[in-house]
């Protein structure tokens, strides 16, 4: 990642008074990239064992490993060190040290219900384009609608931000201040719907046969679903973070 974006997570970590900076850098460097690389290597080993011509050569795997450890990790560590050196932003208002009692919440406000319902709108905005992406990725068809893809991605990001802010506002109106992880989950469930949609596409269009094809398809789909959940949930969290700071900065305390 470029250095300036890599400094954003450490600044946010300082904002919430995090006390384990090296654990954060390690998680950013190895959690998602390491999981994806391990899954990719395991699936490639399956192809090697089957003697498939589509197996990635060992030299390519080593090149990816060198790019990850020699480029991604140093750049991320550099950006993180810059982020930790930035001054902590001042809170918009005073925060009580004693947590307030949260009233009993209705059933429809349950975190699981809100998360599953919140991911439907952003997923629905992108569902039309998914069939073309599936055909291009798994059937070898040429994909040329990059302009429409960019428009779809932008629309999906805007919807994630709007859905996250609206659900966060309703949650705060019910005097429930635990919005941090819930703001991420409100649209992070979009990855779950993506995985289910891909499974339905495989059942209706691809007709996979054999354990190798099933492992390859669902392995890559699971990795893409996890990445999509992180992106959509992150957009919602950033929007809610800005929204909460904005409304509490406008509160006038006498």
């Amino acid at each position: 990642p470029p250095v300036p974006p890599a400094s954003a997570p450490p600044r946010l970590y300082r904002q919430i008074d995090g006390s384990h900076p090296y654990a954060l850098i390690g998680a950013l460097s190895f959690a998602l990239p390491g999981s994806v690389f391990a899954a990719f290597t395991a699936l490639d080993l399956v192809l090697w064992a089957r003697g498939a011509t589509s197996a990635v050569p060992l030299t390519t795997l080593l090149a990816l490993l060198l790019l990850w450890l020699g480029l991604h990790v140093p750049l991320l560590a550099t950006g993180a060190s810059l982020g930790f050196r930035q001054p902590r932003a001042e809170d918009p208002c005073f925060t009580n040290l004693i947590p307030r009692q949260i009233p009993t919440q209705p059933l429809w406000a349950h975190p699981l219900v809100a998360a599953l319902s919140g991911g439907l709108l952003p997923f629905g905005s992108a569902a039309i384009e998914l069939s073309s992406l599936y055909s291009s990725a798994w059937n070898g068809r040429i994909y040329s609608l990059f302009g429409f893809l960019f428009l779809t991605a932008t629309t999906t990001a805007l919807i994630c931000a709007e859905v996250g802010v609206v659900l966060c506002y309703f949650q705060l109106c019910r005097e429930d201040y635990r919005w941090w992880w819930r703001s991420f989950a409100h649209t992070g469930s979009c990855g779950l719907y993506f995985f289910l949609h891909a499974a339905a596409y495989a059942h209706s269009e691809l007709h996979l046969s054999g354990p190798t094809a099933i492992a390859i398809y669902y392995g890559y789909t699971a990795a893409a679903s996890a990445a999509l959940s992180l992106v959509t949930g992150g957009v919602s969290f950033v929007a809610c973070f800005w929204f909460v700071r904005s409304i509490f900065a406008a509160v006038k305390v006498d």
Side-chain angles (χ1 to χ4, degrees):
V3 171
S7 64
R11 294 188 64 181
L12 179 61
Y13 189 68
R14 284 199 61 189
Q15 193 67 28
I16 61 176
D17 298 325
S19 57
H20 300 87
Y22 294 107
L24 175 68
I25 296 176
L28 292 173
S29 301
F30 298 101
L32 180 63
S35 301
V36 173
F37 185 80
F40 179 77
T41 304
L43 294 174
D44 200 55
L45 289 175
V46 173
L47 293 177
W48 279 349
R50 293 286 180 174
T53 58
S54 57
V56 177
L58 179 61
T59 54
T60 304
L61 287 177
L62 292 177
L64 291 176
L65 184 63
L66 288 176
L67 286 175
W68 172 27
L69 299 179
L71 186 63
H72 171 85
V73 175
L75 285 178
L76 193 144
T78 303
S81 63
L82 294 177
F84 282 121
R85 294 174 185 173
Q86 297 297 320
R88 186 182 184 277
E90 185 179 354
D91 294 328
C93 64
F94 176 75
T95 304
N96 255 339
L97 297 179
I98 301 176
R100 219 176 136 180
Q101 185 176 1
I102 300 174
T104 303
Q105 303 294 310
L107 179 61
W108 57 267
H110 191 275
L112 181 60
V113 176
L116 293 178
S117 59
L120 281 174
L121 280 177
F123 174 76
S125 65
I128 300 176
E129 189 64 16
L130 290 180
S131 297
S132 300
L133 291 175
Y134 294 154
S135 299
S136 176
W138 300 107
N139 292 329
R141 298 177 183 175
I142 298 177
Y143 186 82
S144 58
L145 303 175
F146 293 102
F148 188 73
L149 178 63
F150 174 78
L151 180 62
T152 302
T154 304
T155 305
T156 303
L158 291 175
I159 293 176
C160 285
E162 292 173 358
V163 169
V165 167
V166 169
L167 292 178
C168 180
Y169 174 75
F170 288 157
Q171 181 178 340
L172 294 177
C173 288
R174 297 190 304 271
E175 301 182 27
D176 188 353
Y177 52 83
R178 301 169 299 181
W179 62 271
W180 288 81
W181 281 106
R182 293 189 188 181
S183 64
F184 178 87
H186 284 160
T187 55
S189 59
C190 186
L192 173 63
Y193 293 116
F194 173 80
F195 186 85
L196 296 177
H197 187 272
Y201 177 84
H203 179 73
S204 61
E205 299 292 337
L206 297 181
H207 305 292
L208 301 175
S209 60
T212 303
I214 294 175
I216 294 296
Y217 181 82
Y218 285 101
Y220 286 132
T221 301
S225 301
L228 181 63
S229 293
L230 290 176
V231 171
T232 53
V235 170
S236 173
F237 173 78
V238 171
C240 291
F241 183 78
W242 170 83
F243 170 72
V244 171
R245 288 185 63 88
S246 298
I247 61 175
F248 280 97
V251 173
K252 304 297 183 183
V253 180
D254 297 329

